[in-house]
Amino acid sequence: MTYCCGILVRDGLVMIADTRTNAGLDNVSTFRKLHIFSKPGERIMAIASAGNLAISQSVLSTLTEGLEDPNTGELETLMNAPTMFQAAQRIGRAIRAVHATEGPALKSEDVSFDVSFLFGGQIKGSRMRLFMVYTAGNFIECTTDTPYLQIGEHKYGKPVLDRAMHYDVELYEALKTGLISMDSTMRSNLGVGLPIDVLVVRSDACEADLNHRIEAGEPYFHDLRSRWSAALRAAHQNIPRPPYKTKKSQKPDNMSKGRKR
């Protein structure tokens, strides 16, 4: 299991991914799930993955080596995609290519073809964009109405983003909210865990403003977790108790009256 979220605000892009993989209680490992493709000043793209690790690694390798254009014979990669939209299309093509070669073998072993990606970034001269790419290779784009996307074990971290996130949030405030969302997920699901990889990109910079790994015991994240827990407890205590009471039913008349002895 994993949890990844991408947040696109006016000032830029935040992407966060955990690193835990779980193939059973006795087979827990750490793998990087946030991958960056960049040429500073020209383009920066990031992909966060969830689902079957072998499938996601095959898709990423296919994108790195390139997909052959059937018309021109040119190898298409993320680094030579002319737009973010076409780059997202190439991720979809790579998923379908891997499915065509590995899908039948997985099906014969009763293993589902399960993979999804968050893909965000910017190419110089165009706007910053954020997409979620599904198992079938189709995708949706983040909008200003709901400026975040999630993959993996997203349900525990979603309420935090729903309440706090909007398009005009300052970039590092968006990062803080994303980390609280990650902490909420880690609290409720042991399949999500440290280290956490973080990328922050400012609009029109086309390079990373922050590319950081949060390790276990890191002071800021430990403090954030403690403060968030304390804030929730304080908020809970400050809310008045519910005024509701069950109406007491009228006591029945004395049943002994008129009863024969």
Side-chain angles (χ1 to χ4, degrees):
M1 188 53 70
T2 190
Y3 175 53
C4 308
C5 72
I7 303 171
L8 182 63
V9 293
R10 190 179 303 277
D11 293 338
L13 173 71
V14 173
M15 294 188 71
I16 305 172
D18 86 315
T19 56
R20 181 167 295 178
T21 62
N22 187 350
L25 293 176
D26 58 350
N27 190 7
V28 177
S29 302
T30 297
F31 283 88
R32 187 177 182 91
K33 302 172 191 173
L34 180 60
H35 304 271
I36 301 170
F37 301 79
S38 69
K39 184 177 180 182
E42 295 293 327
R43 69 178 58 203
I44 183 166
M45 301 172 174
I47 301 179
S49 62
N52 185 296
L53 181 63
I55 296 171
S56 64
Q57 288 185 340
S58 293
V59 171
L60 287 167
S61 295
T62 300
L63 289 166
T64 301
E65 293 184 2
L67 292 154
E68 184 176 342
D69 186 319
N71 297 318
T72 65
E74 179 186 359
L75 286 179
E76 297 180 337
T77 68
L78 295 181
M79 294 303 293
N80 62 21
T83 66
M84 286 293 294
F85 178 79
Q86 291 187 45
Q89 287 182 316
R90 292 180 183 186
I91 296 173
R93 282 186 57 204
I95 293 172
R96 289 189 286 271
V98 171
H99 186 272
T101 56
E102 299 183 14
L106 291 172
K107 186 176 181 179
S108 68
E109 296 296 325
D110 199 27
V111 177
S112 62
F113 190 91
D114 175 31
V115 70
S116 57
F117 296 94
L118 292 181
F119 172 60
Q122 187 173 23
I123 297 173
K124 186 178 180 181
S126 60
R127 63 186 174 90
M128 187 169 284
R129 303 176 78 171
L130 175 63
F131 302 89
M132 184 195 307
V133 189
Y134 296 103
T135 300
N138 57 327
F139 52 86
I140 62 171
E141 183 172 4
C142 185
T143 69
T144 56
D145 293 325
T146 305
Y148 65 86
L149 295 170
Q150 303 166 282
I151 55 175
E153 186 57 273
H154 63 272
K155 58 181 177 290
Y156 300 110
K158 189 174 187 297
V160 174
L161 298 174
D162 283 341
R163 289 180 180 275
M165 193 52 54
H166 57 86
Y167 186 65
D168 291 317
V169 169
E170 191 274 330
L171 187 57
Y172 278 82
E173 285 294 315
L175 171 60
K176 180 173 69 176
T177 305
L179 291 176
I180 292 172
S181 174
M182 176 64 75
D183 172 58
S184 299
T185 304
M186 291 168 56
R187 288 274 182 172
S188 300
N189 191 319
L190 295 178
V192 178
L194 293 162
I196 298 168
D197 290 314
V198 174
L199 174 70
V200 178
V201 182
R202 291 194 178 275
S203 296
D204 300 323
C206 290
E207 61 181 324
D209 197 70
L210 175 69
N211 181 9
H212 180 66
R213 170 164 284 194
I214 298 173
E215 301 281 0
E218 197 223 47
Y220 174 78
F221 190 64
H222 177 76
D223 183 59
L224 177 142
R225 302 187 76 181
S226 299
R227 286 174 180 263
W228 181 244
S229 295
L232 287 176
R233 287 192 295 269
H236 174 266
Q237 292 169 0
N238 288 332
I239 296 173
R241 292 181 63 180
Y244 317 121
K245 293 182 180 180
T246 301
K247 292 182 180 180
K248 294 182 179 180
S249 58
Q250 293 183 351
K251 293 183 178 180
D253 293 332
N254 191 339
M255 297 299 293
S256 62
K257 290 183 179 180
R259 184 179 295 173
K260 293 182 180 179
R261 294 182 180 271

